[in-house]
Amino acid sequence: MDSSAIRSRLAGAEGRLFWRSLGELSDTPQFREYLHREFPEQASQWNNPKGRREFLKLMSASLALAGVGACVKQPEERIVPYVRQPEEMVPGRPLFFATAIPFGGVAAPVLVESHEGHPTKVEGNPQHPAALGGSDIFAQASILTLYDPDRLQSIRFRSEVRGWGDFFSAMKGQLGAQRPRQGAGLRFLTERLTSASAAEQIATIKQAYPQAKWHVWDPTAKAAGAPSATYDFTKADVVVTLDADFLTGGPAAIRYTRDFAGRRRAAADAEAAEAAEHVMNRLYAIESTPTLTGAKADHRLPLRASEIAAAAQALSGGNGSGTFSNSAAQAFIAAAAKDLQAHRGRSLVVAGDYQPAAVHAIARQMNEALGNVGVTVTYGPSVDINAGDHAASLRELTQAMHSGQVDLLVILGGNPVFTAPADLHFDVALTKVALSVSLSMFPDETAFVTHWNVPEAHPLESWGDARAFDGTVTVMQPLIAPLYDGKTLQEVLAVFIDAQTGKNAHDLVKEFWTRAYAGTVPGWTFTDPTGQPFKSADSFWRHVLHDGWITGTAAAENGGRRAEGGNVATSDAVASTSAQAPAIAPGPSSALPPPSSSGLEIIFRPDPMIWDGRFANNGWLQELPKPFTKITWDPTAWMSANLAKEKGLIDGDLVELRYRGNTAKLPVAVVPGHPEQSVTVFYGYGRQVTGRVGSSADATAREFDVYKLRTSDALHFGTGLEIAKVGRYLLARTQEHHLMEDRHPVRIATVEEYRKDPEVIARFGERPPRTLTMIPDWDYSQHYKWGLSIDLTSCTGCNTCTIACQSENNIPVVGKEQVDNGREMHWIRVDHYYEGTPEDANSIKTHHQPVPCMQCEKAPCELVCPVGATTHSAEGLNDMVYNRCVGTRYCSNNCPYKVRRFNFLLFQDWETPSLEPLRNPDVTVRSRGVMEKCTYCVQRINLARIDAKREDREIRDGEIVPACASACPADAIVFGNLNDPNARVSKLAARERTYGLLEELNTRPRTTYMAELRNPNPELS
Amino acid sequence: MSQVFHRSTNIWSKVSIVLGLAFVTFLAWIVVSLSWSGYVTGQSVTVDQPVQFSHAHHVGSMGIDCRYCHTTVEESPFANIPPTKTCMNCHSQIWTSAPILEPVRASFRDNTPLRWTRVHDLPDFVYFNHSIHVAKGVGCVTCHGRVDRMPLMLQENSLQMSWCLNCHRNPDQYIRPRDQVFSMTYERPANDPDFGKRLVTEYKIADVKQLTSCSTCHR
Amino acid sequence: MINPKPATYEPAPLIEPGHTFGSITDKIGGVVLTTKQPLSWIIVVSIGFMIMGMLGMAVTWLLLKGTGIWGVNIPVGWGFAIINFVWWIGIGHAGTLISAILLLLKQGWRTSINRFAEGMTIFAVMCAGLFPLIHTGRPWLAAYWLFPYPNSMSIWPQFRSPLIWDVFAVSTYFTVSLLFWYVGLIPDLATLRDKAKLKPVKVAYGMLALGWRGSARHWQRYEHIYLLLAGLSTPLVLSVHTVVSFDFSIGIIPGWHATIFPPYFVAGAIYAGFAMVLTLAIPLRKVYGMEDFITMRHLENMGKVTLLTGMIVGYGYISEAFFGWYSANKYEGFMILNRMFGPYWYMYWTLIFCNIITPQALWFRKVRTTPMGLFAVAMIVNVGMWLERFVIVVTSLHRDFLPSSWGMYYGTVWDWMTFIGTIGMFVTFFFLFVRFLPMISIFEMRTMAPAAKMKESEGH
C-alpha cells in the first residue's frame, strides 16, 4: 500500500494537532482513518476501500502464477554487473560479517549473512563468549526491522522534511545560547547504554556544559540499587530463582541458556561410569508470573510477586516462613534451603530483575554465605555506563520539564512518551520544553510530539560499540549503508562536541578504539587471542572487525569495565545510586514492600515478544506465539483458573483494569500455574503511532496500553487492582489444546528413573516391526542419511528456532485473522503442554516441544500427492516442490504431525519493494495455492554437498547446520548424517532416551526426540 | 412424411466425424508444439544487447578463455557477467574510440553499470549451479553450444526440464575430461562405449537417484 | 432388489390402464413440443438460474483470491468442496443403477423413471466434477497436470494417489453415463423429429436423432449397443464410489483409514441417489400429470430400495463404532467418541436421525404409498447424506493425532454460495432437460402399453 501517502496524511494531522496531547489526538477522525488505512487486516474482502487495486493485483498475481510451469513466455530479465567488482565479492556466494545487535544497551553478538551487499540472515557469533553461536528472537527478528518500510525516513522539523545540515545548525544555535549558562537548560535522555565511546562523548559534553544533565529511562530496567551480577551456570549444581527469568529476555539469556542446558544434556547423556561427575543441576523456581525458566524448573513455587521477598527471607533462614499459610510453600522452601546448604560453593541464588533491591540483597548475602561468589556468581559494577535508578532519573527530568527549566531536550532512543510511568505525565511535560529532539527508528509517539525527529540508523546500518552482558567489548560494523539516511547515537552526540564536528560514526568509533589501543584512554589493555600484543593499530582494528569483539575485555578477566571511566557521565540523580550500585543500596527503594493486604495484585511485565513496545511493527515477533498461551498479535491479562472462576471470566473476556485511579483494558488468558489473587499485565501494546503492523487495529486495541496503570513508585508490581468484565475480544492462538490426552508426544522421566532403567522411555509407546509397512524400502546406504535430533531436556521453548526458520526460509506473516483461521505458516512450531490440575497452581508442570517436519522414511504425505509435488529424495528428505504443487492439501490431511503449511491466500508481500532484499535468494518465494514445509534447510545441504563434491570429499559432520539448530541458544537441535556412526546426531539417535514422535504409526521419522529428563528433589516428590 | 434432410446429409454427417477428430488433433498439436517452440523456450532466439558483444570474435578469433570474463564459474552458482572494468582492461588500449564501444566507456566513465539482457534465463524456482557442473566435467559447449561461432549470444538449447533430465538421467553420455571442459572443439572418442562410465566413476558423480531428486534443483 | 410381494395386496400397475401408443406419445412428447410451459416451470428455472449465477460469482472470486476465502485450514484441509463432491457423485449413482442394473435384472418398473434418473446422473456428476478442480490451490495447473501426457518436464502424475484414480473413475463414469443416456434418447428424438410442426425444431431433433428411421436393422443394433453399454456401466456403478472412498481409506487419519469404506460408500451412494430420484419424481409427475406413467408402484419400489440401502448404511455406522471400540486403538476409539460427543456431536446425531431413524418409516406401506410421505423421507435423507460426508471429512480431520494441532472448521459464506450454487446449476440443467427432451422414454413406455404385451414377451 502507498505508505508515503499515508505518511503525508499523518504529517497533515500532525501539523494541525501539534500541541495537543496524544490522548486527544488518537480520537480525531484523521487519526482513526490513518490507523484503519494502515492496518490491512481491517479491510474486509468485498467492500474493500482499495477494492479495485486489490482486484487488479490479484488478477496480475493469478496470471503470474499461471505462468509458473505452464507454457507461458517468461518475462525478460536483466543482468546488471558491477562496473568495478569488489575484491572479496563472489557473486552468488554469501559473505558473513561479525557485528552486534544491542538490546537494552547490551550487545547480542551476531554474524550476519550478506548476499551481494544486502544482509539477509542473522546468526549468533560462534566465537563470542557471550553467544557461543546462539541467538534469541530479538536478534533474529532485527533483520525485518532493518527493511521495515514504515521506518522514519527523513529528518523532520515539526513534520516538515529537513536536512542534516539544518539540524546541525539548529543545534549549534541552541548550544550558543546554552554555553554562557553552562548548559543549565540542556538535558539528554537515553536508554541503557554500554558504549564506551558514547560514554566518553557524554563526558566531553559534560565538561563543556557542566550544568547539563544526562537522564536515563528504560521501562524494563532492573530495580534500583540491585547489584549487577553475572552467573556461571556451568558450575551451579543447585539453582534457586527468586522471580528470576534468566532463560529469556535479553542477550545474557543466550549464554545462560547455553550453560544451563549444556549441564542438563551432559548429565542426561552421561555414561554410567562418568555419571558421578555429571550431576544434573537442579532448578528451584520461586516465581510469580509463569516464565520459561519456571517451566524448565524441577520444582516451581508460584507466589505473588509481593510474597517473594518473604520467601527469600525464609529461604535465607530468617523468619518469614511463618507468613506462608500453605504447607506446600513451607516444605518447598525448607527443601530448597537444605539443598543449597548441601551444595555450598556449587549452588546459586538468582534474584529477578523486577524484584526490589532488598530481594537482591538477600540473594547476594546468601550467595556470599554459601561461598558461591567468585564461583557461580560474580558481582561487579554494571556494564551500563549509566546504571542507577531509572525512575528517579526520569522523575527528576520531568519535574525540571514541568517547571520549565528545560530549553533543549535531546531524547536519544527509546519512546518515553509511550513508556513513561503514568504519574509523571511525561507527554504533558514535554509540551513545556522549548525545543525537543528525538532520535528514533520509527515515527513513534515520542517523534510525534517532539520538534526535531532524527531517523535512527538500524544496528545493521551502524558503526558503533557495546559491551556484552559479561563486559566483553563488541564492535558493530554496518552491513549496508543507511536506507533512510539514519544517524547513530554517536553521530548525534558528536553534534554537541566541537572537536568532533563533521565526523561520521565510522571515524568516531575507530578513532576511539585506536586511541584505547594506543593506551591514551585509561584502563584498556588489549592482547590478541594468543595473549600477545597486536602488531599494529591497523592489525588490531582489522582483527576486531573480523572477530567482532576484543579478547580479554570481559569483566572477569579485565579491569576494563571499571576502568573505562564511563560513569562520570551519569546525571547527578543517577550517579547517586550508581556510585554505590555494587553495595546493597539503602534508601527508600530498598525497604521491604508491605506484604499485600487487600485487593488483587497487579504484576507488570514487558511483552515477551514485542518487549516494551519497540518491536510492535515487527510482524515476525507479533505473530510469534507467546509462551504458554500461544496467543499471537495481542496482549493478555494472565490469571489463575481459580481467580477467573471467582470473577466469572473465561479466555477472551475483555476486562477493564482499574488501578490507582487509572484504567486500561485487556483480554483475559487463564494460565495454569499463575499465582492466586494476582494478575499479570504485559506492557508494550496499545501503540498509538507506529507502522502499519504495530498500530492498534481498533479503538479497543488502543486501550491495551497498561503503561497507563504504571506508576514510578511501584514499577513492577503492586496491589489494589480491580477488574470487571466489559465484553469479549477475539484472540488468535496457534494452539488450542494443551493437554497430552495420554498420547505422550513428550516423554518425561526423572534422571534417576532413567539411569536405573533406560527402557523407561521406550515403554511410553510401541515400536511396530519395521516390516509392517506397505511402502517399499529405500536403500540409503549409498547416500547421506540426514537426521535431526531434538533434545527436550535442553529445550526451553524460547521460540528462537521458529523465527530463525522464518528468516532463513522466506516465510510470510499472515496476520491475526489468518492465524485465527489456523493458517499460520511457521515451519517449526513449539508445542506447549501442561500436566496437573489448573485449580492447583503448585501441581502444574509445563513441557515444550519444537515440531518441524519429521522427514518420514515411510511418508504418508508422499503417496497421496496426485502430481508428485512431494517426493522422496535419495537422502531421505521429503522434498517439497512448490512449482509442481497444485494445492490439493491431501498431503497435509494425511500428515499425522500436521507440520505442512498451505498458502491459502497470497500471503507473501509481492508489493513492498523494501522487503525484496530481505528475502533469502537461495529459497523460492512461494506464491498462493502451494503447500510448503520444513526442508531441513535443503539450500544449506545442497551448498555443502556441492562444495564437498567439488573437493571430492565427504561432507564433514557439523558442516551443515539448519537455521533452527544454529539459532538455538540451548544447542538442543542437532543435525547430521545418520549413516556416519561418528556423527554427533548418530550418537544421539542411539541413546535410549531417543524416541520418534507417534512412532507407533511406523512412519520412521528422521526427526527424533530425546526424552525430557528432570531432576526433582526426592524430599519433595 | 416430408424429408427434413437432403440425402447428402448422410455423407456430411459421416465426414464431419472424421473432420471433427482431425480438428481436435490439430488443436492439440498446435498447443504442444507451441510449448516446445523457441517462442516459449527462447531457444535460438537472438536478443538485442546494449553492446553488440561478439563471442565469435573474442573466443573464436582472439581465443580468450571463458574464465577471463566469467571468473566465478568454478566457485559459484553464478558464472559472473564481467564488470565493465574487465572490458576496459583491453579497451582502454585498443579500439579506444570505436563508436560501438561507447556504451562501455560511458559505463566506466560515469560509473553506471551496463544492463545486459539475460539470454539463458531459468525460472526462479530452478537453482542451477555452474561450479559443480564444471567441476564434474560438463563442458561449456554441452549446454551453451559453440559460442565461439556466435556473433551474438543465443540460447543453444531449450533449457526445459526434460532437456536437463537427459543428462541427469545418464550423465555418462555427456561429460568430458575436466581438462577439456573449457574447450570449444573437444570431441568425445567415438569408438569407446564406456568412456563416459569411466569418467562418472572417476569423478565420483552422484548416482541417478541423487541427480534426479527434486531438491537437487528445486527448493 | 425387490421384495417378494406379499399375497395380501396387489401392487399398483406400472402404467394406468387405457393407454395406447398414441396417447403415450402425445402425453410425453407433448410436454416437449408444446410452446407453453406451466408457470411453476418458469419460476423454478429462473430461480435456479439466479442461484447458478451466485455459483459463478463465488468461483470467480475464488480464482482471483484463492482457496483462503473458504473455511479450510490446517488441520482441516478439506471442507465443503470435497463434501459436496462426494455428495453429488453419490446422487449420480441411482441413474446408472436404474438404467443398467435394473435393465439387466429385467425390472420392468425401471422403464418410466430411467430417463430422468439418467439425466439426474449426468447433471449431478457435472456438479460433482466441478469441485475436485476448484478445491485445488492452483486449478489452472491442476486442470491438466493430473492427466498423463508427454510433457516438457518429462514427468508423470503420481499414480499411487487416489486423486489420480478419481480423475479416471469420474471421467469414465461421466462419459459412459452420457453415452448411455444419449443412445437411449435416439428413438425418442426421432419421434419428436417426426411429431414436430416447425421446421427448425424438426431440424434440431433431426440432427440429434442421427437419422434414425426405426428400421429393423436400427432396432437390432440399438438393442445390442444398449445392452452392451448396460453391461459396461454396471461395474462402474460399483467402481466409481469405491474409488472415491479410497480418497479417504488410503489416508492414515482415524475415521478415514477403514476397510468398510467401499461397500459402505456404494450403498450410501445408491441410498442418496434413490432419495434424489424420489425428490424429483414426485413433484414432476404431479406438475406434468404423469401419474399414469410414474405410478404408485414405482414410488413404492423406490421406497423399498431406499429402505434397504438405508439399512446397509446404518450397518456401516454401527460397524464404524464397533471397530472404534474393538480395535483397542486409542486414536480410533477417541475418533468415534469425538464424533458422538465432541464439538460436532450435533452433526453426528442429526445424521443418525436422518439416515437411520427416518427411513424406518418406510416399513409402513402407508408411507411408501403416500407421495408426500415419501417426499418428506427423501428430503431428510438428502440432508442426512450431506451430513454423513461432513462427519467423515471434518470430524476425522479436526482432531487427529497430536492434540497440539487440533482445530475447528466452519464453512464461510463463500462455501455456502458455492454449495447452493451447484444446486441451482443442477435444478437449471434438469428443468431445461425436462423442457427440451422427453423426461420418460416414449418408446419404452409404448412397450408397457397393453397393446404391446406381445412385443414385451418377445422383447429384449
Side-chain angles (χ1 to χ4, degrees), chain A residues 666-742:
Chain A
L666 275 185
V668 168
V670 176
V671 176
H674 195 283
E676 300 301 340
Q677 295 302 309
S678 173
V679 176
T680 303
V681 297
F682 295 92
Y683 49 82
Y685 275 93
R687 291 292 302 273
Q688 309 290 330
V689 192
T690 174
R692 67 195 74 172
V693 177
S695 297
S696 305
D698 50 33
T700 322
R702 258 178 272 130
E703 297 184 63
F704 291 169
D705 176 8
V706 295
Y707 282 116
K708 292 206 176 74
L709 304 181
R710 213 172 173 215
T711 52
S712 56
D713 60 336
L715 282 175
H716 301 300
F717 58 86
T719 49
L721 172 72
E722 297 164 14
I723 59 176
K725 177 175 175 177
V726 292
R728 295 278 303 161
Y729 187 80
L730 173 71
L731 293 174
R733 340 177 146 230
T734 59
Q735 184 181 349
E736 302 285 347
H737 198 87
H738 297 266
L739 295 171
M740 287 196 257
E741 300 292 341
D742 135 68

Side-chain angles (χ1 to χ4, degrees), chain A residues 378-410:
Chain A
T378 321
Y379 290 101
S382 166
V383 290
D384 294 17
I385 57 174
N386 52 1
D389 186 342
H390 285 227
S393 178
L394 188 66
R395 195 181 298 114
E396 187 205 11
L397 172 63
T398 35
Q399 277 156 6
M401 287 158 71
H402 278 295
S403 55
Q405 300 164 20
V406 182
D407 308 326
L408 174 59
L409 173 63
V410 184

